[in-house]
């Protein structure tokens, strides 16, 4: 873990070196002050030369100026170092999370990931700045001050050092306890964030069901758990700080008494005694600094462990070493004895074989849970088959890089996701380099042009969080406009017209028919009237592909499709 942690310092070696040397400079100058006081009191004062004393004080003033500059470097540039490392880690984590497969996101809460990207990395950044230099300078100051104390009076120095082993034990013990407390606190913080993200993300559902008190009860539980975890960590911190403070103050009093005894015995000069008292404060200051490290280190340690846990999670779906960028796919698709299940023990699809020709429109129908959406999700490799293979134009999809594969497959889903930007931003997501003219042409083809022109801000109209200001039909047409911009050779329409009124459905159906021209199109539909003109209809049941054919052929067979169609007609 240390090796991986320090690897993030590599791009900032110069910055780290500057701050580290400055920290050492600060520590050394701290040691210089008691020595200078000792010389002034024991040598310069008895001589009565005020001019020499003034010069010594001026020299000390110059040292303080340099020390102030070094302090600034340590504080400002040291934090810049920590921020840079934190930013690099956040960039890596965000990029890695984007590459993780659907299955990972299916099983992990967004709030936990937000906690990793914010709180955890903030604590890691603090440790990245304070950790190495504070530990090194604390140790150096501790032994440096002890060395000077030995030089002044070795008996008094040894007596002072007796307390160090006990303080060290307190530090190690509390550090171990703090690490566990911080891991618990971060876990509960992540649960707290997940609760807030869930509740605010579904606030309309909460209010629609008047379940505010229920959500407040759940929030109270997570909030109290978070509170208890923080109290536990601060209790350990309080015990550590109190015991350390008490031990250091007792030792200071002991040094005061013992030093007075040595003075009365003429074994210690006034200057040596003053220097020794000052050195005692310097001697204990590293221990106070180590206590401060104990407060931040477990947070950074726990955060870095959680960070590594995500970074070490390999995407289930990734490019093979021999995968190639394949451009200009036509859309000849083959499912070859495909078997898949979200749980390997319980396959959803078994031994599926299906040939789809370039430009053909294939509709998948059947009962819910039969695997229609799953079958289409395998094509862009949102999930990988357990057995068998899928090819496009003779290329196994596993031999095509994910980027080039997904660039040539467009997906229009029932639940359209909108970013909280403008209409332009959301339509242009299909082609980030599209001009405004191309965006408006895509909107016209998707029958969204009139709506945009009716808006006072036109393409600059803000859609709200997740497109809350748009109707279901407007969201669907916007997603179709995205596809016109993307212009893929293969298209997947996943129940794109369900749950819409008849007029809106007709408008979207016209847009989809225009979008499907010249493309290989896979349509998942519950409303069978929308797929009557498909080149081929494939009926999927839990046993696999039950029927294939066009609308008239399947009606004539009087099988699954015929029963489904007649049942829907009866309901109309």
């Amino acid at each position: 873990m240390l090796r991986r942690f320090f690897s993030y310092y590599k791009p900032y070696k110069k910055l780290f070196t500057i701050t580290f040397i400055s920290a050492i400079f600060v520590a050394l100058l701290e040691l210089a002050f008691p020595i200078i006081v000792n010389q002034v009191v024991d040598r310069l004062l008895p001589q009565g030369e005020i001019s020499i004393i003034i010069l010594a004080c001026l020299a000390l003033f110059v040292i303080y100026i340099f020390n102030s500059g070094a302090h600034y470097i340590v504080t400002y540039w040291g934090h810049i170092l920590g921020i840079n490392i934190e930013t690099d880690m956040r960039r890596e984590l965000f990029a890695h999370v984007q590459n993780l497969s659907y299955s990972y996101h299916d099983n992990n809460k967004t709030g936990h990931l937000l906690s990793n990207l914010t709180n955890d990395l903030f604590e890691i950044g603090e440790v990245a700045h304070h950790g190495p230099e504070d530990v090194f300078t604390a140790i150096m100051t501790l032994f440096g001050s002890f060395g000077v104390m030995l030089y002044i009076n070795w008996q008094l120095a040894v007596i002072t050092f007796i307390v160090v082993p006990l303080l060290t034990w307190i530090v190690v013990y509390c550090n171990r306890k703090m690490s566990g407390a911080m891991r618990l606190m971060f876990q509960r913080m992540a649960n707290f964030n997940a609760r807030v993200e869930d509740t605010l993300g579904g606030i309309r559902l909460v209010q629609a069901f008047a379940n505010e008190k229920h959500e407040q009860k759940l929030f109270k539980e997570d909030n109290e758990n978070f509170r208890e975890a923080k109290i536990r960590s601060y209790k350990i911190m309080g015990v550590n700080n109190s015991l350390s403070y008490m031990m250091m103050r007792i030792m200071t009093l002991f040094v005061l008494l013992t030093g007075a005894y040595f003075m009365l015995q003429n074994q210690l000069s006034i200057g040596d005694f003053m220097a020794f008292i000052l050195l005692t404060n310097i001697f204990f200051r590293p221990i106070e600094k180590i206590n401060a490290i104990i407060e931040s280190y477990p947070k950074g340690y726990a955060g870095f462990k959680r960070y590594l846990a995500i970074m070490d999670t390999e995407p289930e779906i990734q490019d093979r070493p021999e995968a190639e960028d394949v451009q200009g796919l036509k859309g000849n698709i083959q499912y070859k004895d495909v078997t898949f299940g979200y749980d390997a023990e319980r396959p959803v699809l078994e031994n599926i074989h299906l040939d789809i020709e370039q430009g053909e429109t294939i509709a998948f129908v059947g009962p819910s849970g039969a695997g229609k959406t799953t079958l289409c999700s395998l094509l862009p490799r949102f999930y990988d088959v357990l057995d068998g293979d899928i090819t496009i134009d003779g290329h196994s999809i596993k031999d095509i890089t994910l980027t080039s594969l997904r660039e040539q497959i467009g997906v229009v889903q029932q639940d359209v996701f909108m970013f909280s930007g403008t209409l332009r931003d959301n339509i242009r997501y299909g082609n980030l380099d599209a001009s405004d003219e191309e965006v408006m042409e895509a909107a016209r083809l998707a029958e969204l042009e009139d709506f945009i022109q009716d808006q006072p801000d036109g393409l600059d109209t803000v859609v709200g969080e997740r497109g809350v200001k748009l109707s279901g039909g407007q969201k669907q047409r916007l997603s179709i406009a995205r596809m016109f911009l993307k212009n893929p050779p293969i298209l997947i329409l996943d129940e794109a017209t369900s749950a819409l009124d008849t007029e809106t459905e007709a408008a979207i159906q016209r847009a989809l028919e225009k979008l499907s021209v010249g493309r290989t199109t896979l349509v998942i539909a519950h409303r069978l009237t929308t797929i009557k003109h498909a080149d081929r209809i494939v009926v999927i049941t839990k046993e696999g592909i039950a029927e294939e054919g066009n609308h008239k052929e399947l009606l004539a067979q009087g099988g699954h499709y015929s029963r489904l169609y007649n049942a829907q007609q009866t309901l109309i």
Side-chain angles (χ1 to χ4, degrees):
M1 279 186 67
L2 281 174
R3 185 170 61 252
R4 292 181 69 176
F5 181 73
F6 283 115
S7 68
Y8 288 95
Y9 286 85
K10 286 182 180 177
Y12 310 105
K13 286 180 180 177
K14 289 183 179 178
L15 188 58
F16 175 75
T17 303
I18 291 170
T19 56
F20 198 79
I21 290 173
S22 298
I24 294 172
F25 188 68
V26 168
L28 289 174
L29 290 182
E30 286 289 328
L31 292 174
F33 179 65
I35 296 172
I36 292 172
V37 169
N38 171 262
Q39 295 299 312
V40 168
V41 172
D42 277 354
R43 294 191 180 185
L44 299 182
L45 277 178
Q47 294 176 9
E49 294 288 341
I50 189 67
S51 58
I52 298 176
I53 294 173
I54 291 172
L55 286 173
C57 289
L58 283 173
L60 196 58
F61 178 69
V62 172
I63 288 172
Y64 280 149
I65 291 175
F66 279 110
N67 213 6
S68 299
H71 267 293
Y72 175 80
I73 292 171
V74 171
T75 304
Y76 178 69
W77 289 107
H79 277 103
I80 293 294
L81 172 66
I83 290 168
N84 288 344
I85 291 172
E86 177 188 343
T87 303
D88 289 347
M89 287 184 173
R90 186 173 289 117
R91 183 182 63 248
E92 283 189 15
L93 183 61
F94 184 74
H96 185 69
V97 166
Q98 283 192 307
N99 288 327
L100 290 175
S101 309
Y102 271 31
S103 56
Y104 178 86
H105 294 286
D106 290 343
N107 297 315
N108 288 273
K109 294 181 179 180
T110 304
H112 285 193
L113 293 174
L114 288 173
S115 183
N116 295 136
L117 284 163
T118 52
N119 301 320
D120 288 4
L121 286 174
F122 172 78
E123 299 297 346
I124 293 170
E126 285 296 297
V127 171
H129 161 40
H130 292 291
E133 65 190 41
D134 279 7
V135 170
F136 183 81
T137 54
I139 293 171
M140 188 185 73
T141 305
L142 188 71
F143 286 100
S145 58
F146 182 64
V148 178
M149 290 162 75
L150 281 173
Y151 174 76
I152 292 173
N153 188 294
W154 71 267
Q155 299 103 318
L156 195 54
V158 170
I159 291 170
T160 305
F161 197 77
I162 289 172
V163 77
V164 171
L166 182 58
L167 283 173
T168 303
W169 180 84
I170 292 171
V171 165
V172 172
Y173 176 79
C174 291
N175 180 42
R176 191 178 296 122
K177 291 287 185 182
M178 277 291 287
S179 294
M182 287 304 163
R183 280 196 296 273
L184 179 65
M185 189 180 80
F186 277 142
Q187 179 60 43
R188 291 187 175 177
M189 183 188 296
N191 291 337
F192 172 81
N193 289 341
R195 171 64 55 198
V196 173
E197 195 270 337
D198 275 351
T199 303
L200 297 183
I203 191 65
R204 288 163 184 80
L205 182 67
V206 173
Q207 293 179 353
F209 280 87
N211 277 341
E212 289 89 347
K213 288 186 178 179
H214 171 70
E215 291 299 327
Q216 287 167 15
K217 181 181 176 182
L218 295 176
F219 177 85
K220 180 182 179 182
E221 184 179 335
D222 284 325
N223 200 23
E224 284 299 315
N225 287 337
F226 184 29
R227 174 180 175 272
E228 287 173 11
K230 291 197 77 172
I231 287 173
R232 180 180 173 184
S233 66
Y234 287 127
K235 182 179 180 180
I236 296 168
M237 193 186 305
V239 169
N240 176 49
N241 289 343
S242 298
L243 288 175
S244 298
Y245 175 84
M246 188 66 183
M247 292 297 299
M248 287 187 287
R249 294 304 170 260
I250 289 174
M251 204 62 229
T252 302
L253 287 174
F254 188 66
V255 167
L256 196 62
L257 287 170
T258 311
Y261 171 78
F262 282 128
M263 277 189 63
L264 292 174
Q265 296 298 315
N266 293 321
Q267 295 179 16
L268 197 68
S269 68
I270 296 175
D272 287 343
F273 184 53
M274 289 182 65
F276 209 95
I277 293 295
L278 292 172
L279 282 166
T280 302
N281 290 328
I282 294 173
F283 179 72
F284 287 127
R285 199 172 298 157
I287 298 173
E288 292 175 342
K289 184 174 283 190
I290 290 169
N291 284 337
I293 293 168
I294 286 175
E295 181 180 342
S296 62
Y297 169 76
K299 294 179 183 178
Y301 176 76
F304 192 61
K305 281 195 76 172
R306 283 158 57 87
Y307 170 83
L308 290 183
I310 299 175
M311 293 300 294
D312 289 341
T313 302
E314 289 290 333
E316 289 184 16
I317 313 296
Q318 50 187 310
D319 290 331
R320 284 177 172 176
E322 65 273 16
E324 297 179 354
D325 281 334
V326 178
Q327 301 299 328
L329 292 176
K330 304 298 182 184
N332 292 297
I333 301 168
Q334 277 191 314
Y335 286 79
K336 299 178 178 180
D337 296 320
V338 168
T339 297
F340 172 78
Y342 299 100
D343 180 350
E345 302 300 321
R346 291 179 292 175
V348 177
L349 302 166
E350 285 190 90
N351 303 318
I352 298 295
H353 189 88
L354 184 64
D355 292 334
I356 302 170
E357 294 182 6
Q358 174 186 344
E360 193 175 11
T361 296
I362 301 292
F364 296 98
V365 300
S368 296
K372 303 183 296 296
T373 299
T374 301
L375 189 67
C376 292
S377 295
L378 296 174
L379 187 62
R381 290 189 69 197
F382 294 147
Y383 303 95
D384 260 346
V385 299
L386 297 178
D387 197 13
D389 196 14
I390 302 173
T391 64
I392 303 176
D393 299 347
H395 301 280
S396 171
I397 58 173
K398 291 185 178 180
D399 292 331
I400 304 173
T401 59
L402 283 171
T403 300
S404 64
L405 174 67
R406 292 173 181 174
E407 281 176 348
Q408 297 176 82
I409 299 175
V411 183
V412 178
Q413 296 172 319
Q414 175 188 355
D415 184 17
V416 180
F417 186 86
M418 295 284 119
F419 294 98
S420 56
T422 63
L423 288 170
R424 177 191 288 104
D425 296 335
N426 276 283
I427 296 173
R428 191 178 278 164
Y429 208 74
N431 178 2
L432 299 175
D433 298 321
S435 64
D436 281 359
E437 291 75 18
E438 289 171 322
V439 169
M440 282 305 297
E441 176 60 17
R444 184 187 66 77
L445 292 169
E447 304 203 6
L448 194 65
E449 184 179 29
D450 291 343
F451 168 73
I452 294 173
Q453 290 176 344
D454 288 342
Q455 304 305 304
D457 295 326
L459 285 172
D460 292 316
T461 301
V462 176
V463 302
E465 187 175 4
R466 300 187 183 182
V468 69
K469 296 181 180 179
L470 303 180
S471 69
Q474 288 161 352
K475 289 180 183 179
Q476 287 291 2
R477 278 177 275 190
L478 193 148
S479 70
I480 294 167
R482 281 179 186 165
M483 282 306 125
F484 274 115
L485 277 185
K486 185 175 182 180
N487 194 27
I490 300 170
L491 189 62
I492 297 173
L493 307 178
D494 189 354
E495 300 185 42
T497 60
S498 64
L500 299 173
D501 61 84
T502 305
E503 184 179 351
T504 303
E505 181 183 4
I508 290 175
Q509 196 61 42
R510 290 194 300 270
L512 288 173
E513 287 171 5
K514 286 184 279 186
L515 180 61
S516 300
V517 172
R519 308 176 201 276
T520 302
T521 306
L522 283 60
V523 183
I524 302 163
H526 278 145
R527 208 172 291 185
L528 303 185
T529 53
T530 62
I531 48 104
K532 288 163 61 175
H533 302 294
D535 297 316
R536 193 157 29 119
I537 298 169
V538 178
V539 181
I540 306 287
T541 67
K542 290 185 178 180
E543 286 72 39
I545 296 177
E547 297 172 351
E548 281 187 70
N550 61 35
H551 176 69
K552 289 182 179 179
E553 291 170 349
L554 293 179
L555 281 182
Q557 289 180 17
H560 289 280
Y561 180 79
S562 178
R563 289 194 295 273
L564 284 171
Y565 185 79
N566 290 330
Q568 286 193 10
Q569 292 300 106
T570 303
L571 293 172
I572 293 175

